[in-house]
Amino acid sequence: MDDLRVPAGPGIPHGLVISAGEMTEQFSRSSGPGGQHVNTSDSRVQLRFDIGSTAVLTEAQREQVFQRLSAKLSGVVLTVSSEEQRSQLRNRNAARQRLAELLREALAPPVDRRPTRPSRNSRRRRVRAERRRSEIKRNRRRPHLD
């Protein structure tokens, strides 16, 4: 297995290189496509990356990854699996790609929401639609006899 290169992006200006020794792969039988071949080959890949003991991330980056990926973590280990392809090699590449994307997204700084206000025209359209709907409902009532 080769080193995993996470391309540069927001939050990681120089990118990351995760050595092959920091990741562990486990193979098992897949339930995905492959027909009878699925019953005999271990094409499913589980890729594990221990975030707690890696030397690639700084302490601040590690905390950010823990915070952002807490739902996907098992303790301090991030597990990514792939079984979409028939080939073990393709599943290995897909799992590595998914791990790189998860780390890249987790390390990106949060985007500040700029509060916006509805435009005058959108408010007019909303009020006009409410009046139209009110008129439709008013016309459904029984006629008032005076």
Side-chain angles (χ1 to χ4, degrees), residues 10-54:
I12 44 174
H14 303 295
L16 295 174
V17 178
I18 301 171
S19 69
E22 293 189 11
M23 297 179 288
T24 58
E25 289 180 326
Q26 184 178 359
F27 306 103
S28 59
R29 294 210 170 99
S30 172
S31 63
Q36 293 176 352
H37 175 71
V38 170
N39 301 329
T40 60
S41 67
D42 293 338
S43 59
R44 179 176 187 235
V45 177
Q46 279 190 322
L47 183 63
R48 289 186 178 87
F49 176 58
D50 189 354
I51 296 170
S53 66
T54 185

Side-chain angles (χ1 to χ4, degrees), residues 94-105:
R96 291 166 60 88
Q97 187 70 32
R98 195 170 303 141
L99 176 65
E101 288 173 13
L102 281 172
L103 288 174
R104 190 166 185 218
E105 289 173 9

Side-chain angles (χ1 to χ4, degrees), residues 7 17 47 80 92 116 118 126 135:
V17 178
L47 183 63
V80 177
R92 286 175 80 181
T116 59
R126 180 182 53 81
E135 184 66 30

Side-chain angles (χ1 to χ4, degrees), residues 8-137:
I12 44 174
H14 303 295
L16 295 174
V17 178
I18 301 171
S19 69
E22 293 189 11
M23 297 179 288
T24 58
E25 289 180 326
Q26 184 178 359
F27 306 103
S28 59
R29 294 210 170 99
S30 172
S31 63
Q36 293 176 352
H37 175 71
V38 170
N39 301 329
T40 60
S41 67
D42 293 338
S43 59
R44 179 176 187 235
V45 177
Q46 279 190 322
L47 183 63
R48 289 186 178 87
F49 176 58
D50 189 354
I51 296 170
S53 66
T54 185
V56 174
L57 300 173
T58 65
E59 195 58 41
Q61 288 175 330
R62 187 173 292 129
E63 288 301 319
Q64 188 173 352
V65 170
F66 280 142
Q67 187 179 29
R68 293 253 179 99
L69 298 179
S70 62
K72 297 177 188 294
L73 292 176
S74 173
V76 294
V77 178
L78 177 61
T79 304
V80 177
S81 63
S82 176
E83 59 181 326
E84 294 91 30
Q85 306 293 327
R86 291 182 179 200
S87 162
Q88 186 186 85
L89 180 63
R90 288 184 186 162
N91 282 331
R92 286 175 80 181
N93 291 335
R96 291 166 60 88
Q97 187 70 32
R98 195 170 303 141
L99 176 65
E101 288 173 13
L102 281 172
L103 288 174
R104 190 166 185 218
E105 289 173 9
L107 291 171
V111 178
D112 291 335
R113 182 189 177 278
R114 293 174 50 198
T116 59
R117 303 173 98 178
S119 67
R120 182 180 297 161
N121 202 20
S122 68
R123 287 192 300 249
R124 285 181 185 155
R125 281 194 308 266
R126 180 182 53 81
V127 170
R128 201 175 306 135
E130 287 174 4
R131 285 187 184 141
R132 196 175 317 127
R133 191 82 189 133
S134 174
E135 184 66 30
I136 289 170
K137 290 184 176 191

